[in-house]
Amino acid sequence: MSKFMDPLGDTEGSSSDSGSESDGDEAVPRVGSAAAGRQHQTGVAPLDVDPEALVSGNSVLFVPEPKKDPNDQWDWGNGADHKEAGGDEETAEVREENRHAVGAGLEASVALANKAAMQAAELREAKRREHAEKQAERRKSYQQKEKRKRDLGMQKSDKDYVQEEKRIA
């Protein structure tokens, strides 16, 4: 027995068992056939298949070759055609204007780059100073840290409020 069903092989019209016919319109699976274990029969006939799906497209053998156009030239040019057409001649004034425009743009971009470099240097210096201040703060002794807190009004509450007010006054 085959594990997979052949959709066109098990139809009513294509039965290979010539000796056993079923009664009437009832579709009873035959013993020993691939449909014996199924509950229902699919009933796919060759005429039920979409005929457009089976039609192939045009054959490649009958496609004519592309026609050669005598005007097509795929060779590298040497520029002679452009020169003959009277290409755009650049005058000395236009060249001078272009030279000044490039110089002005270059000066602006250099100024912008210098400004960005200066800002980056200032940021590095500020970060270095902040790091040095943090290092100095870590090196202070406990008494120095407590004195700074007292000066800022963030002291510990070891003493009562009256004594602390007398000390401040």
Side-chain angles (χ1 to χ4, degrees), residues 5-11 14 44-47 49:
M5 179 183 81
D6 182 16
L8 298 178
D10 290 335
T11 59
S14 65
V44 176
L47 298 177
V49 178

Side-chain angles (χ1 to χ4, degrees), residues 100-126:
H100 286 298
V102 168
L106 182 64
E107 291 171 1
S109 65
V110 167
L112 186 63
N114 286 339
K115 184 177 179 182
M118 289 178 59
Q119 286 178 344
E122 290 174 4
L123 287 174
R124 280 194 305 269
E125 186 61 34

Side-chain angles (χ1 to χ4, degrees), residues 5-168:
M5 179 183 81
D6 182 16
L8 298 178
D10 290 335
T11 59
E12 293 178 37
S14 65
S15 174
S16 61
D17 295 331
S18 61
S20 62
E21 289 290 324
S22 62
D23 298 346
D25 296 329
E26 197 175 308
V28 178
R30 293 178 197 89
V31 177
S33 69
R38 292 190 309 227
Q39 295 293 333
H40 64 282
Q41 194 170 9
T42 59
V44 176
L47 298 177
D48 293 341
V49 178
D50 187 15
E52 293 177 8
L54 299 177
V55 176
S56 65
N58 294 337
S59 174
V60 180
L61 299 174
F62 301 119
V63 176
E65 290 188 26
K67 297 176 182 173
K68 302 278 183 175
D69 188 10
N71 295 333
D72 283 344
Q73 294 180 1
W74 293 96
D75 297 333
W76 289 98
N78 58 6
D81 297 337
H82 182 68
K83 290 178 184 176
E84 290 173 3
D88 299 332
E89 291 292 328
E90 189 177 40
T91 63
E93 296 152 357
V94 173
R95 273 186 261 134
E96 194 64 32
E97 289 174 7
N98 289 341
R99 195 173 297 127
H100 286 298
V102 168
L106 182 64
E107 291 171 1
S109 65
V110 167
L112 186 63
N114 286 339
K115 184 177 179 182
M118 289 178 59
Q119 286 178 344
E122 290 174 4
L123 287 174
R124 280 194 305 269
E125 186 61 34
K127 188 174 181 181
R128 190 176 304 127
R129 278 190 302 239
E130 184 179 336
H131 183 68
E133 289 173 4
K134 283 185 179 180
Q135 290 294 338
E137 190 70 30
R138 286 185 194 141
R139 288 188 207 114
K140 286 185 178 179
S141 66
Y142 180 75
Q143 286 87 10
Q144 290 172 329
K145 291 178 184 177
E146 289 299 316
K147 183 177 187 315
R148 186 186 66 83
K149 288 180 185 177
R150 278 195 309 270
D151 293 341
L152 295 175
M154 303 181 331
Q155 69 279 359
K156 288 185 179 179
S157 58
D158 288 346
K159 301 177 184 177
D160 62 351
Y161 178 74
V162 175
Q163 291 176 348
E164 195 60 36
E165 286 296 319
K166 285 182 182 177
R167 186 191 66 79
I168 292 173

